[in-house]
Amino acid sequence: MKSYVLFLLCSLLARIPSSQGQSDEAWAALNASVSGRLYAAVPFALPCYSLYNGKRAVVNEAACTLIRNNYTTNSIRAEVSNGYMSLQGEMCLGDPLDQCTLDSTVLPAPEPAPGASCNQGSVPSYYIEVLEISDINAALNFTKDYRLPLVVKNSGHDYLTRNSQKGSLALWVHKLQGLVFHGDFIPEGCKGDLATGRAITAGTGVSTGDIHNFANVHESTFVGGYSPTVAASGGWVLGGGHSVLSPVYGLGADRVIQFKIVTPDGQLRVANQCQHEDLFWALRGGGGGTFGIVLEATHRVEPSMPVAVASIKLPSNGASENSLKWIELIARQSLVWGKEGWGGHAGGLYLTYMNPVPTIANLTDGGAGAKSSMSVATEFALAAGGSSVVEVLPNYLAVWNKYVLPGALTTAGVARVLATRLIPRKLFEDEAGIAKLMNFMVTVQKLGFDPRNFYCPIGTPFVFEHATNSQPQTQNMSSSPTSVNPAWYNALWDISTSLTIPWNASYAERLQNMTAITRATLLAEELTNTDGGTYPNEANPFTPNWRESWWGDKYAALLEIKRKYDPEGLLKCWKCIGFEDEDISSDRFRCQGRLQLDVDSALEKKSS
Ligand SMILES: Cc1cc2nc3c(=O)[nH]c(=O)nc-3n(C[C@H](O)[C@H](O)[C@H](O)COP(=O)(O)OP(=O)(O)OC[C@H]3O[C@@H](n4cnc5c(N)ncnc54)[C@H](O)[C@@H]3O)c2cc1C
Ligand SMILES: *[C@@H]1O[C@H](CO)[C@@H](O)[C@H](O)[C@H]1NC(C)=O
Ligand SMILES: *[C@@H]1O[C@H](CO)[C@@H](O)[C@H](O)[C@H]1NC(C)=O
Ligand SMILES: *[C@@H]1O[C@H](CO)[C@@H](O)[C@H](O)[C@H]1NC(C)=O
Ligand SMILES: *[C@@H]1O[C@H](CO)[C@@H](O)[C@H](O)[C@H]1NC(C)=O
Ligand SMILES: *[C@@H]1O[C@H](CO)[C@@H](O)[C@H](O)[C@H]1NC(C)=O
Ligand SMILES: *[C@@H]1O[C@H](CO)[C@@H](O)[C@H](O)[C@H]1NC(C)=O
Ligand SMILES: *[C@@H]1O[C@H](CO)[C@@H](O)[C@H](O)[C@H]1NC(C)=O
């Protein structure tokens, strides 16, 4: 009798699917259908730990040494399936014990404490190394059959935790490389008279740095972001994509002319101005991980051209007061500089601006126009004991190699959270606007955000062709070529405050940090009211009114397109189009949800 019960129990157990509801056979079948490219996903720092999810693990000294030495190196993380630049991609925000991170305040990162366990956090359970369209189809089928969350992971730069999910199956698309140059690109299905000029088709996994180098070989300029490892045909362009050249040449979303994508129904589709126009529009700002799995994107490029650079620095030990004066000076110059075509980054202790407009970027006159345009800033910096270099370089790659790369290689391995806001030109037009802006700086300073750490990308399409100081504030789909928040086309600045959640912060400390940054987010919204907007790719994941803030009046049309192409909601990520309020308290999003709810109540308590 006893043995019979045991037998029954055992045979039952054998049929009970593994922890997530899928049997080992189902996983094995999936693995076979992706030619063995299904793998268990493990956290990045696992080789340094002797416990994994509470069970014994073997430390791999060589791998661990590499990880500890290069914990903050972006390129290493961008190349691997489990590499997340911002640690909130791999930690479970709501549970400080559920993570596998190292202390990155010193390098090499210290070894974990003896007995510490490397826990899975929000790292997916499995991933597929995507090489073929059938890999994507197999994953979509599997997700449909087992309701298992599916997530797309590319370079891992996301700030919003959209590139990972606890308990999910990840499609790792980084291996979709490939670069093609077109002298005069005709979007597929369009007539010849719709040729778009020179263009580059880049696989979704291709890094921004590789595209810049490839463009230069073809005597062209790619209008790309400020990080060599960001995937330009991935989350960057899908979310909008700003560049230091955007004031003159537009956003990535303004410039992209075609996508190839596998939609959730498993179909390979071409989206451009002649076919699947609605999908094309949604992919130009509606965000990654939402409408399908992008295979490649084709971007317009410009001929090679000289670019002026201004690199102006205050002494690094300057006072906060001086930074406030500096920010005010930059704010006062912004409208003039914006009209002249300058883009770049303003900081509390520096500015690094670039300009491709021929009268400013003039190699023959040694950049005289650039120097005189920047003279007020140069004088301020020199008087404060700082430095100024204003020069013209022969092409963008030279600017990239000299001014961008050195600062962009080792920024990973911290849980950095941003609060950003697009600031309309209106605020720069009169004293009242400048006063409002400076008042904001002082208010957030009191919340713990030092003006010396002020950071502000200048990458809005300010003098770009159809963009639009003249365009109406509210635009619907048919009148607007992209689905980014219309605030982009009226804005000059994208102000940003940020904080780093310490790698080992307790729950109470995380709550304090996220409440502070969310308070700053709300203050930044107040500063601009409905004229402003926020760039979802560089937003606070805990933004309460994210739909309005990130997409403005575009949200409704985006949701309609989401429902058309993904009626079953196979792709769902944190605060992506189609994410519902109920999802915040769902088990699926528990890593973010619990902390979000506590931040919401902390803010309510304060305000009531
Ligand atoms: C150091 C750093 C510098 C940055 N600099 C800039 C900048 O200069 N300009 C700027 O505009 N932004 C910048 N960003 C923000 C960047 O644009 C976003 O983080 C963007 O989401 C990165 O996309 P990714 O594909 O490289 O990263 P991932 O984190 O891998 O993916 C981001 C999102 O896109 C989705 N996704 C990626 N590939 C695909 C695909 N093939 N199909 C469907 N969905 C996909 C993912 O699911 C996820 O939701 C920067 C970020 C960091 C961390
Ligand atoms: C999938 O198959 C490959 C090749 O047989 C194997 O190396 C890999 O471990 C398998 N993946 C899983 C999750 O079992
Ligand atoms: C990793 O760090 C070590 C030590 O700093 C360095 O020598 C090595 O080049 C780094 N590796 C990579 C791939 O960056
Ligand atoms: C996915 O499912 C469809 C419909 O059942 C089937 O035709 C297709 O072969 C499947 N694809 C893969 C790669 O499993
Ligand atoms: C560049 O400077 C030279 C020398 O001053 C001048 O002749 C030329 O017109 C300038 N080019 C542009 C585009 O302003
Ligand atoms: C959208 O814009 C077009 C062109 O401006 C206009 O004809 C149309 O009525 C608008 N639709 C809505 C729903 O506002
Ligand atoms: C976090 O680690 C630092 C050392 O990096 C240590 O000083 C601190 O006490 C730790 N904090 C917590 C909450 O464990
Ligand atoms: C974030 O939390 C850490 C640890 O509690 C704290 O030292 C820091 O001041 C916090 N930062 C902000 C801006 O709240």
Side-chain angles (χ1 to χ4, degrees):
M1 186 67 192
K2 235 181 185 169
S3 67
Y4 175 72
V5 171
L6 206 66
F7 168 78
L8 215 128
L9 208 68
C10 288
S11 60
L12 260 175
L13 278 175
R15 252 179 289 142
I16 290 176
S18 61
S19 58
Q20 297 179 338
Q22 302 80 35
S23 64
D24 291 346
E25 289 79 8
W27 283 110
L30 175 62
N31 198 6
S33 66
V34 298
S35 314
R37 278 179 275 100
L38 172 77
Y39 303 99
V42 299
F44 183 70
L46 175 61
C48 294
Y49 281 82
S50 55
L51 282 175
Y52 175 38
N53 294 328
K55 299 198 183 97
R56 273 207 55 174
V58 182
V59 172
N60 179 335
E61 288 296 348
C64 175
T65 301
L66 185 93
I67 289 165
R68 289 175 53 216
N69 283 336
N70 306 283
Y71 199 65
T72 62
T73 302
N74 304 50
S75 59
I76 291 183
R77 288 174 190 257
E79 293 294 320
V80 294
S81 64
N82 58 357
Y84 301 91
M85 305 301 147
S86 294
L87 294 185
Q88 62 266 34
E90 55 172 296
M91 61 213 266
C92 186
L93 276 172
D95 181 358
L97 290 179
D98 193 6
Q99 63 181 29
C100 183
T101 57
L102 301 179
D103 177 2
S104 62
T105 54
V106 283
L107 284 180
E111 281 178 52
S117 175
C118 164
N119 295 330
Q120 194 76 4
S122 57
V123 174
S125 303
Y126 292 90
Y127 74 92
I128 293 169
E129 180 186 323
V130 175
L131 295 183
E132 291 166 39
I133 292 172
S134 58
D135 298 340
I136 297 172
N137 276 310
L140 286 166
N141 283 356
F142 195 77
T143 293
K144 217 162 143 174
D145 291 346
Y146 297 100
R147 303 312 302 180
L148 184 80
L150 187 64
V151 66
V152 185
K153 158 70 167 65
N154 198 331
S155 77
H157 279 75
D158 202 57
Y159 287 109
L160 297 192
T161 74
R162 298 175 299 189
N163 53 13
S164 68
Q165 247 180 75
K166 196 176 189 62
S168 68
L169 167 64
L171 286 168
W172 180 44
V173 295
H174 172 72
K175 293 286 172 77
L176 297 176
Q177 297 283 319
L179 282 164
V180 180
F181 178 80
H182 314 272
D184 194 8
F185 184 77
I186 302 171
E188 280 180 34
C190 292
K191 300 215 175 74
D193 60 349
L194 288 177
T196 49
R198 61 171 83 193
I200 288 175
T201 300
T204 193
V206 180
S207 71
T208 299
D210 284 353
I211 304 182
H212 282 309
N213 283 294
F214 181 76
N216 194 63
V217 168
H218 293 276
E219 294 178 351
S220 298
T221 309
F222 174 62
V223 177
Y226 215 63
S227 159
T229 39
V230 159
S233 293
W236 178 81
V237 68
L238 294 166
H242 67 71
S243 162
V244 298
L245 301 177
S246 291
V248 177
Y249 290 110
L251 297 171
D254 289 310
R255 303 180 57 82
V256 68
I257 34 194
Q258 179 167 292
F259 287 98
K260 289 200 176 149
I261 180 172
V262 177
T263 43
D265 59 358
Q267 296 298 307
L268 168 64
R269 296 181 195 274
V270 176
N272 60 33
Q273 60 176 310
C274 301
Q275 43 180 326
H276 303 300
E277 296 96 312
D278 56 351
L279 185 59
F280 183 48
W281 179 81
L283 294 172
R284 299 172 82 179
T290 305
F291 302 100
I293 293 85
V294 169
L295 305 176
E296 62 173 49
T298 302
H299 310 266
R300 271 164 62 194
V301 295
E302 301 296 323
S304 189
M305 62 181 88
V307 176
V309 185
S311 172
I312 304 178
K313 294 176 184 157
L314 304 188
S316 56
N317 59 358
S320 297
E321 289 315 304
N322 217 34
S323 286
L324 283 174
K325 287 190 193 134
W326 168 247
I327 294 165
E328 182 168 345
L329 178 147
I330 301 174
R332 287 182 187 285
Q333 294 300 310
S334 281
L335 203 53
V336 172
W337 283 342
K339 288 176 183 166
E340 286 174 344
W342 290 99
H345 295 95
L349 292 168
Y350 68 93
L351 68 75
T352 310
Y353 279 15
M354 283 111 186
N355 195 328
V357 171
T359 49
I360 297 277
N362 190 337
L363 278 167
T364 318
D365 71 5
K371 288 185 174 120
S372 91
S373 170
M374 284 293 150
S375 62
V376 195
T378 297
E379 281 158 25
F380 184 98
L382 295 182
S387 65
S388 171
V389 176
V390 182
E391 63 174 336
V392 181
L393 296 180
N395 56 56
Y396 187 67
L397 189 65
V399 172
W400 175 259
N401 287 333
K402 182 168 177 184
Y403 288 98
V404 184
L405 279 190
L409 301 176
T410 53
T411 63
V414 291
R416 182 170 291 117
V417 184
L418 312 182
T420 67
R421 191 71 175 169
L422 291 159
I423 306 296
R425 62 179 285 158
K426 219 172 70 185
L427 262 82
F428 301 90
E429 282 172 345
D430 56 27
E431 284 304 318
I434 303 274
K436 223 175 147 187
L437 199 61
M438 294 317 296
N439 185 42
F440 169 80
M441 299 294 163
V442 172
T443 310
V444 292
Q445 184 179 13
K446 287 182 195 139
L447 279 180
F449 299 98
D450 193 314
R452 282 174 292 196
N453 299 330
F454 169 73
Y455 176 66
C456 179
I458 318 286
T460 62
F462 193 67
V463 291
F464 174 63
E465 8 170 276
H466 63 265
T468 112
N469 308 318
S470 58
Q471 269 190 26
Q473 265 299 305
T474 50
Q475 297 157 341
N476 65 28
M477 193 182 125
S478 46
S479 62
S480 158
T482 73
S483 52
V484 301
N485 191 318
W488 274 103
Y489 300 106
N490 275 310
L492 248 179
W493 278 18
D494 187 13
I495 52 166
S496 164
T497 43
S498 71
L499 59 73
T500 298
I501 304 175
W503 71 286
N504 59 348
S506 66
Y507 187 78
E509 289 168 337
R510 290 180 184 192
L511 178 58
Q512 188 223 321
N513 277 177
M514 290 311 297
T515 305
I517 196 82
T518 305
R519 198 162 277 146
T521 304
L522 296 175
L523 285 169
E525 286 178 9
E526 263 172 44
L527 173 64
T528 68
N529 293 322
T530 50
D531 289 345
T534 301
Y535 179 31
N537 274 352
E538 292 176 349
N540 170 1
F542 284 8
T543 304
N545 53 333
W546 55 278
R547 296 181 187 84
E548 197 282 323
S549 181
W550 300 352
W551 284 288
D553 64 352
K554 301 288 190 286
Y555 190 83
L558 283 166
L559 185 60
E560 209 172 294
I561 297 166
K562 165 75 176 171
R563 288 186 176 143
K564 173 175 168 189
Y565 287 97
D566 188 13
E568 293 175 78
L570 296 185
L571 291 172
K572 182 179 275 210
C573 43
W574 180 254
K575 297 188 181 175
C576 297
I577 303 289
F579 182 86
E580 307 281 355
D581 290 342
E582 304 88 88
D583 292 322
I584 293 176
S585 43
S586 70
D587 187 55
R588 175 168 177 171
F589 291 103
R590 64 188 180 278
C591 281
Q592 302 95 323
R594 177 182 172 210
L595 190 55
Q596 166 88 72
L597 292 173
D598 283 342
V599 166
D600 290 348
S601 7
L603 289 170
E604 266 163 37
K605 233 177 261 160
K606 185 75 181 210
S607 69
S608 63

